[in-house]
Amino acid sequence: MLHPPCHRSLFASALKAKCSKPSLQACYATVRGRDPYPDAGDDHNPSDNDFILSILRANPSLRDTRSYLASFGPRPKPQASPISFPTPTTAPTPTTSPIETNPESIPIALEHPKPSPIVASILDPVVRRTALVKMQGPFSEVQLDSIARGMVYLEKLGLVSVIVVENDESIRGDQDDRSAIVEDTMRVVSALEKRGARARPVLGAVVRLGPKPDEDESLGLTPPEAHTFPSDLVGIRSALRSGEIPVIPPFALDSFCRSVRIDSNDVIGALARGMAEAGISSHQATEDAPIDPSEVDLTPLRLMIINREGGVPSYARSGYPHLLINLASEYEFIHDTFQDSWRQTHRTALSNLSLARTCLAYMPPTSSAVMVSHRSQSSLIGNLITNKPAVSSSLPHALLQGNRKLTPHTPTLLRKGLPIRVIRTLDQIDRPKLNALLEQSFGRTLEEDAFYARLEKHLDFVVVAGDYVGAAIVTNEPAPGSELPISYLDKFAVLPSHQGDGTVDFLWVALHDESYGLGHPFSVNPNGGKQGQGNGRDLVWRSRGNNPVNKWYFERSSGHMRMGDWVLFWCDAEKRLKIEEGRRGSQGLSYIESWETGRLSSWTNVVTKIPSSWKNNDAQNSQQI
């Protein structure tokens, strides 16, 4: 269920888009369940209901809603300074009757009443942002209609699409390829308008062939084979200001100023850079000016690749799509594990992967890209509101395989991401950076000497994300009566500034691959650790009972047990369970296996004796691991 604040915030955004008719009474009546315009046509209300249901299916958390409103919600208006009148030094001579000078007789109309918060929310415009959309056809009329409906829903939520049309079956250089792509462009415009949107075909070239003269190669990637200048974006900006969705064919100006068709990826890459630069300069120029509702920030927040193939197939999911891709650490690995058979079924997956990498390098850090089949266009709303994959990649693998939502058409979310590495010795740890990460994440002061003295004796490994923006510390705790130590998750921390950008999932997946997921083929990931070689062990950790993160832990753990003010969590070694399940065949696993007898009491005795890592009894108030 949604939190009540999420309902109010997102329904307010839906109402703003829904109330296209001028009467607030009409909006209120519609929410109450009756149609104030019974003759408006049968295609109006079903569409609106579908729109609201799409928001509900996204199931955003409170953090997701706050993040969405930070980008699309109404901006706070500067408060006007109160007007002060000079106080007279002497009382004025009365020239009117006493009743006219009586303060109680001042007309109350001079006091400006404050509008209702609900009315103000409805009247306040949604801040509009842009998304770059690659519409990779050919699509049938029914498929186009479905995609257009998704674009209209996104526009209602404040995300305006800048669409670049592509046709995989149209060969560049053919005699009729230009007229064919123009026809496809007009089909997209027509589909959008049938769905009630206003669209404008921008048939002139908006990019120029060749790299930009001041091309910066410091990004470490191949720049797009086209570029754009601010003057080239006039048509796009004009369409957006007029409330229209620009639809663009993949044309570019060559050195002879001729309009030629090029690869749509080069057009989108050039637009990603050009629009981001134009958005930054526009923001700097109008930073202190009030927001004009007709103005749209050109900086793209999303890259959406809508095709017939779906996402990037994964070796770890039997060819089903990757759920979340960390481009910084997985880009080369995905190329290396891409099977030959997929080159026929997903011919453009790798080129689209490269496109996402290029565009996200220019887009804001919070931006993401999504590759989605035309069959899953409704998932775009969930991606916009939550900025997360349709199914979390850090969920247990068995749960993912059995989840009905995981299909060949499940979208792939791509983020610029961070490099992930595994450290196994204490002298490789950057202590100042790790200290800063832990203290900022937990809001406590670390007892450094005692903490590192314990790690010197018990450290197993540390998974580090980026430049210490996240870390998972695992220790080996001696278990009485057992030769194998307990694998204990001592700390799991992510900087507040990186919570919600995918770092948590990237970090947990790497933790899985190095601990309880070892031994499975799908644990062979590029994190510099054991590369899936070895036998996994049960992973144990504890968390305060009132820790708001516990819901997240419940979903990823095999089980939990209450220990007073604490909760003990654990993840079973997956390879051992798989072997036992195969050995028993149709009998399945028993309620308690032989190796599970007595382990909870053993874990409890060891875990409860692990000393605090914080100064001044800060651990008593800590809500984290």
Side-chain angles (χ1 to χ4, degrees), residues 413-466:
L413 185 72
L414 305 99
R415 306 199 72 131
K416 187 176 179 180
L418 297 162
I420 303 290
R421 66 187 189 278
V422 177
I423 296 174
R424 297 198 174 273
T425 59
L426 197 61
D427 57 357
Q428 292 180 304
I429 297 176
D430 190 322
R431 296 192 182 189
K433 291 183 178 179
L434 182 60
N435 296 347
L437 165 63
L438 296 178
E439 292 182 352
Q440 289 185 50
S441 300
F442 292 92
R444 302 287 180 263
T445 303
L446 191 67
E447 186 68 67
E448 293 185 37
D449 293 340
F451 177 69
Y452 287 105
R454 208 180 87 77
L455 289 188
E456 190 170 359
K457 295 180 180 179
H458 301 289
L459 179 66
D460 187 2
F461 63 87
V462 181
V463 182
V464 178

Side-chain angles (χ1 to χ4, degrees), residues 8-336:
R8 292 195 295 269
S9 301
L10 291 179
F11 268 113
S13 299
L15 282 172
K16 295 171 196 174
K18 184 181 178 72
C19 301
S20 58
K21 298 182 175 64
S23 170
L24 291 179
Q25 181 182 3
C27 297
Y28 178 75
T30 304
V31 175
R32 296 280 295 184
R34 47 191 181 84
D35 188 359
Y37 299 97
D39 298 327
D42 296 336
D43 60 340
H44 177 71
N45 285 332
S47 177
D48 286 336
N49 294 337
D50 190 23
F51 171 54
I52 293 176
L53 287 174
S54 298
I55 296 176
L56 294 177
R57 291 190 193 103
N59 194 23
S61 65
L62 185 58
R63 175 182 292 172
D64 297 333
T65 306
R66 287 172 177 168
S67 178
Y68 166 78
L69 292 177
S71 296
F72 298 93
R75 297 291 189 267
K77 296 179 175 61
Q79 296 182 353
S81 302
I83 301 175
S84 59
F85 297 95
T87 304
T89 56
T90 59
T93 302
T95 59
T96 58
S97 63
I99 192 171
E100 293 176 334
T101 59
N102 187 346
E104 296 180 358
S105 66
I106 298 176
I108 61 174
L110 295 177
E111 300 178 6
H112 297 284
K114 296 181 179 180
S116 164
I118 298 177
V119 174
S121 175
I122 294 173
L123 293 178
D124 214 352
V126 175
V127 176
R128 297 189 299 160
R129 310 298 292 271
T130 59
L132 275 171
V133 179
K134 177 183 178 182
M135 200 173 287
Q136 183 180 339
F139 298 114
S140 67
E141 295 299 329
V142 174
Q143 293 167 350
L144 267 183
D145 180 73
S146 176
I147 296 171
R149 184 171 65 250
M151 299 294 101
V152 171
Y153 288 171
L154 293 177
E155 186 182 26
K156 290 182 178 181
L157 289 170
L159 191 70
V160 186
S161 302
V162 177
I163 300 174
V164 178
V165 178
E166 181 61 285
N167 188 324
D168 289 341
E169 295 181 359
S170 177
I171 302 175
R172 279 183 291 162
D174 279 2
Q175 182 177 0
D176 298 328
D177 80 321
R178 183 180 180 89
S179 59
I181 200 67
V182 169
E183 182 180 349
D184 286 339
T185 303
M186 298 309 298
R187 288 180 64 229
V188 173
V189 171
S190 177
L192 290 168
E193 291 181 340
K194 285 180 180 178
R195 277 290 166 182
R198 297 170 60 191
R200 179 191 298 186
V202 183
L203 300 181
V206 296
V207 302
R208 304 164 187 258
L209 275 179
K212 201 166 185 177
D214 59 342
E215 190 66 64
D216 183 10
E217 298 182 359
S218 61
L219 295 174
L221 49 83
T222 304
E225 294 295 328
H227 65 279
T228 186
F229 292 114
S231 59
D232 300 323
L233 303 176
V234 170
I236 295 176
R237 194 185 293 273
S238 172
L240 295 175
R241 283 176 175 169
S242 301
E244 299 170 330
I245 297 175
V247 184
I248 306 167
F251 295 153
L253 288 178
D254 64 9
S255 56
F256 296 99
C257 292
R258 295 175 303 188
S259 177
V260 296
R261 182 184 172 185
I262 64 172
D263 193 304
S264 60
N265 286 5
D266 291 325
V267 175
I268 296 173
L271 286 176
R273 178 179 181 179
M275 291 172 62
E277 292 174 349
I280 292 173
S281 60
S282 175
H283 175 72
Q284 292 172 346
T286 62
E287 194 169 12
D288 299 326
I291 295 178
D292 182 358
S294 65
E295 197 61 61
V296 179
D297 187 353
L298 283 184
T299 306
L301 286 189
R302 297 285 191 277
L303 170 67
M304 299 180 179
I305 301 171
I306 305 174
N307 57 27
R308 297 174 298 168
E309 303 171 0
V312 182
S314 169
Y315 74 97
R317 310 197 190 284
S318 303
Y320 279 9
H322 282 272
L323 299 174
L324 177 64
I325 293 179
N326 180 351
L327 289 169
S329 65
E330 299 179 47
Y331 181 80
E332 299 295 341
F333 185 72
I334 291 174
H335 275 265
D336 295 339

Side-chain angles (χ1 to χ4, degrees), residues 570-588:
W570 69 89
C571 288
D572 291 315
E574 293 179 339
K575 182 178 179 180
R576 183 177 59 206
L577 288 179
K578 193 71 175 178
I579 293 174
E580 185 65 21
E581 185 180 11
R583 185 176 68 84
R584 296 198 175 200
S586 59
Q587 296 179 358

